[in-house]
Amino acid sequence: MKTNRRQFMILSAAGAASLALSNGVQAQAMVSPTDPQAVALGYVEDAAKVDKAKFPKFVAGQNCANCALYQGKAGAAAGGCTLFAGKQVTAKGWCSAHAKKA
């Protein structure tokens, strides 16, 4: 296929625009409870299932949504966490690094 300069520029612009849009829209993967870092931190997807014998510092009512490390929007089901770069945690989840929001 032979293209001229104008066609090349149009196709290049269209390709760059679709790449930019796909990166912005692409959803982050969820953290798996079996992920090595999640296991090390005792991450669970539901704070109601925290092993209180293993994590005695757990206090009822603690969850990812009220943690200072949680980056999700208020009311969202999931959001980013500074401990799990590029991945999301459930808002009702919990890990041993929980730090109460100020």
Side-chain angles (χ1 to χ4, degrees):
M1 181 174 142
K2 194 171 187 178
T3 60
N4 61 30
R5 183 174 180 214
R6 179 178 289 170
Q7 289 172 324
F8 174 76
M9 295 303 284
I10 291 170
L11 292 173
S12 296
S18 52
L19 265 176
L21 289 174
S22 69
N23 285 340
V25 174
Q26 188 176 19
Q28 291 178 321
M30 294 297 292
V31 172
S32 169
T34 59
D35 180 274
Q37 185 171 357
V39 171
L41 292 170
Y43 172 75
V44 292
E45 293 178 325
D46 185 355
K49 297 178 182 175
V50 172
D51 181 352
K52 293 168 186 80
K54 191 173 179 180
F55 299 102
K57 291 184 179 181
F58 171 76
V59 177
Q62 289 181 341
N63 58 41
C64 292
N66 61 31
C67 178
L69 304 172
Y70 183 70
Q71 298 174 326
K73 294 180 181 177
C81 176
T82 57
L83 298 176
F84 302 103
K87 295 183 181 177
Q88 292 189 342
V89 295
T90 61
K92 62 182 183 176
W94 182 87
C95 82
S96 61
H98 184 275
K100 187 177 178 181
K101 273 188 184 176

